[in-house]
Amino acid sequence: MDIYFIISLLALGAFTGFFAGLFGIGGGGIMVPMLTLLFAQQQFPAEHVVHMALATSMAAIVPTAIASLRAHHKHKAVRWAVVIKITPGILLGTFAGTFLASYLSATPLAIFFSCFMALVALQMVFNRKPPATGTLPGTIALSATGSGIGAISALVAIGGGTLTVPFLVWCNVALPVAIGTSAAVGLPIALSGAVGYAINGLHVANLPAHSLGYIFWPAVLAMAAVSFLTAPLGAKLAHRLPVALLKKLFALLLVGLSLQMLVSVLG
């Protein structure tokens, strides 16, 4: 690993942590395309760079998810009854999603990721929220919903907030509580996704040194250490900066990074 690679990972962790704190996102939308580019520049196996980017992002999200969960729990914004009911489905769906991702080649994964992030960007630009017309379903239906959220989260390496929050708001859960509950759900998503990607990559040949399956641990440690420091700064500035304008600019950044990811993979 050269010094440029290490500095790039630290900068990516700082950048991701700051915007995770500012907007309450997991950071996969930034990490996956940037890691794909950085891994390709390091000449990691081209057929595995997207899988490694997804896996490494999931593992790096774990400490951020823990910090976010604790913060929302202190503000009593987590509905633990919902978390308990949805978690079995989340764990199963996320774990299964890693097997699907491992089966797919880099190109369809990159295309799916880019399309999904384009939808996320549009939602951020127009700030559309679902009408609160539903009610929380029973345990089985809630767990089934969690399976779907987990599966998609595994394919794009996100903490699930872009899916869980709208679902809970639609179920008449107040927005602050929906965000806090989603943050708690993000931990089992990240853990299950990281374990799944690690298992799926155990017998894959030609992966770089210091990898556990598809997870590249030096990148996880570098990004997690710095993002843990910058996330509180972003959260602190959330009430001082023009967040609405920054969200629109951030949405454009997501689209640009996704397009760059496609170019890296298809090129």
Side-chain angles (χ1 to χ4, degrees):
M1 291 186 293
D2 55 42
I3 190 65
Y4 163 78
F5 184 47
I6 296 172
I7 293 174
S8 296
L9 291 173
L10 292 172
L12 178 57
F15 189 78
T16 302
F18 176 79
F19 281 100
L22 187 64
F23 298 140
I25 61 170
I30 302 173
M31 282 190 282
V32 173
M34 287 304 300
L35 285 175
T36 300
L37 178 62
L38 291 173
F39 289 166
Q41 290 176 344
Q42 292 296 307
Q43 298 183 335
F44 288 0
E47 66 273 22
H48 300 314
V49 289
V50 177
H51 301 87
M52 292 187 66
L54 291 168
T56 303
S57 296
M58 282 297 237
I61 288 172
V62 170
T64 305
I66 293 173
S68 180
L69 183 158
R70 290 180 61 189
H72 286 289
H73 175 68
K74 286 181 179 179
H75 288 87
K76 299 181 179 179
V78 180
R79 288 187 63 168
W80 286 107
V82 173
V83 174
I84 292 171
K85 291 178 182 178
I86 202 172
T87 291
I90 287 287
L91 292 172
L92 178 62
T94 307
F95 193 68
T98 64
F99 282 80
L100 175 60
S102 301
Y103 173 79
L104 296 173
S105 65
T107 299
L109 273 178
I111 292 173
F112 181 81
F113 178 90
S114 299
C115 291
F116 184 85
M117 284 302 146
L119 292 175
V120 171
L122 286 174
Q123 194 279 331
M124 292 183 74
V125 169
F126 295 105
N127 198 27
R128 295 285 180 84
K129 294 182 177 64
T133 56
T135 56
L136 281 170
T139 301
I140 295 177
L142 197 57
S143 186
T145 301
S147 296
I149 292 173
I152 295 175
S153 298
L155 292 173
V156 292
I158 59 173
T162 54
L163 300 170
T164 309
V165 172
F167 168 70
L168 292 176
V169 169
W170 177 76
C171 292
N172 268 296
V173 176
L175 182 59
V177 178
I179 293 173
T181 305
S182 173
V185 170
L187 180 57
I189 288 177
L191 287 172
S192 182
V195 171
Y197 278 116
I199 291 174
N200 275 281
L202 283 179
H203 302 294
V204 174
N206 300 323
L207 292 178
H210 312 300
S211 296
L212 177 60
Y214 286 120
I215 301 173
F216 186 61
W217 278 108
V220 174
L221 296 176
M223 293 189 300
V226 183
S227 66
F228 201 77
L229 298 175
T230 57
L233 177 61
K236 185 177 181 180
L237 294 176
H239 302 289
R240 301 181 184 179
L241 297 176
V243 175
L245 174 61
L246 288 174
K247 270 195 173 184
K248 291 179 172 60
L249 296 175
F250 184 74
L252 294 176
L253 174 64
L254 289 180
V255 173
L257 289 174
S258 298
L259 291 175
Q260 175 60 53
M261 180 180 178
L262 281 178
V263 171
S264 298
V265 172
L266 298 178

